[in-house]
Amino acid sequence: SQQGEEDPQALSIQEGENATMNCSYKTSINNLQWYRQNSGRGLVHLILIRSNEREKHSGRLRVTLDTSKKSSSLLITASRAADTASYFCATQIQGAQKLVFGQGTRLTINP
Amino acid sequence: NAGVTQTPKFQVLKTGQSMTLQCAQDMNHNSMYWYRQDPGMGLRLIYYSASEGTTDKGEVPNGYNVSRLNKREFSLRLESAAPSQTSVYFCASSDGQGLDEKLFFGSGTQLSVL
């Protein structure tokens, strides 16, 4: 079964609004990462948050991590049409090198 | 820099045919990975190579073999393709230092098995 589960599976908002996506996981982690995938392309790394961090920012991205609830959220502020993509969380499980990906959230920004 | 390069981009096979997907990275990364992506399933790890000379099974290795040819190249082979292997395949690499592994992905191979 998947380590990470994302919610919602799909999200459609108006340009300029904020978009929030959530990720839950099952086992203890070293870090949690978010990736973006544009249609027909490979994944691109966005941001990494370590297990001992609670919040991290990068430009218009804000990631939070709650290890007690085993959950994370990705907030994209002031969304743009170019943010239309699928977003995946990935966890690096403690004691392992490889990443395990969630099923993704498909985000559509309407102009 | 080209990053991670995969070939081919598209392939159609008949059931039972074999083929090899090629992947090369020019970032001097130690670790390389093969994932498959299916609708509603996210990315699932097929095989990975933590360093040159080593390979390990991932979540869905059945029906596949891999070869870490050298530090740059990591190939995925389907010996006898099945319709269940219709998918988009992604190769990725990371520096392999153990902590905070960030993956760099290729653009994918769309494979159809008829």
Side-chain angles (χ1 to χ4, degrees):
Chain A
S1 62
Q2 293 288 335
Q3 156 77 335
E5 295 193 2
E6 299 183 57
D7 171 60
Q9 291 188 353
L11 179 62
S12 180
I13 61 174
Q14 295 300 119
E15 196 167 17
E17 294 180 339
N18 296 340
T20 299
M21 289 158 270
N22 302 296
C23 172
S24 61
Y25 58 93
K26 298 175 182 175
T27 61
S28 296
I29 60 173
N30 289 327
N31 63 65
L32 185 144
Q33 305 178 29
W34 287 89
Y35 288 78
R36 183 187 72 228
Q37 183 181 34
N38 290 91
S39 181
R41 307 296 296 273
L43 279 73
V44 175
H45 181 267
L46 293 176
I47 193 166
L48 178 152
I49 186 165
R50 294 176 177 161
S51 60
N52 61 355
E53 297 176 315
R54 292 297 167 257
E55 187 171 314
K56 205 159 184 181
H57 295 82
S58 176
R60 294 184 295 112
L61 303 181
R62 173 178 167 251
V63 171
T64 61
L65 179 65
D66 187 335
T67 53
S68 66
K69 295 181 179 179
K70 291 186 169 56
S71 68
S72 173
S73 66
L74 171 67
L75 169 66
I76 303 174
T77 60
S79 64
R80 306 167 181 170
D83 295 328
T84 294
S86 292
Y87 292 82
F88 294 86
C89 69
T91 50
Q92 185 176 16
I93 300 169
Q94 276 188 2
Q97 174 185 332
K98 57 187 184 290
L99 294 182
V100 180
F101 285 81
Q103 297 167 324
T105 293
R106 188 172 66 253
L107 175 64
T108 302
I109 308 299
N110 301 304
Chain B
N1 279 346
V4 179
T5 303
Q6 289 182 236
T7 56
K9 293 190 183 302
F10 302 95
Q11 184 71 49
V12 178
L13 293 177
K14 295 181 180 178
T15 297
Q17 288 185 319
S18 62
M19 78 160 295
T20 300
L21 280 65
Q22 307 286 353
C23 175
Q25 52 89 11
D26 62 2
M27 296 172 282
N28 200 36
H29 282 167
N30 291 307
S31 301
M32 298 185 73
Y33 310 80
W34 277 104
Y35 286 89
R36 60 178 288 174
Q37 185 177 32
D38 303 292
M41 300 291 291
L43 277 81
R44 292 182 291 170
L45 183 65
I46 304 171
Y47 271 95
Y48 68 103
S49 171
S51 61
E52 187 178 356
T54 69
T55 61
D56 286 287
K57 295 178 180 179
E59 185 183 353
V60 288
N62 291 345
Y64 305 95
N65 286 301
V66 291
S67 295
R68 184 73 184 267
L69 303 170
N70 47 56
K71 192 172 185 178
R72 290 187 64 247
E73 298 173 289
F74 188 39
S75 63
L76 178 71
R77 183 161 179 83
L78 287 69
E79 290 290 352
S80 179
S84 61
Q85 294 178 305
T86 294
S87 187
V88 181
Y89 291 85
F90 288 98
C91 177
S93 69
S94 67
D95 63 14
Q97 297 303 311
L99 288 177
D100 294 350
E101 294 285 323
K102 301 172 189 175
L103 299 190
F104 294 80
F105 282 83
S107 57
T109 295
Q110 190 168 324
L111 175 67
S112 294
V113 183
L114 306 178

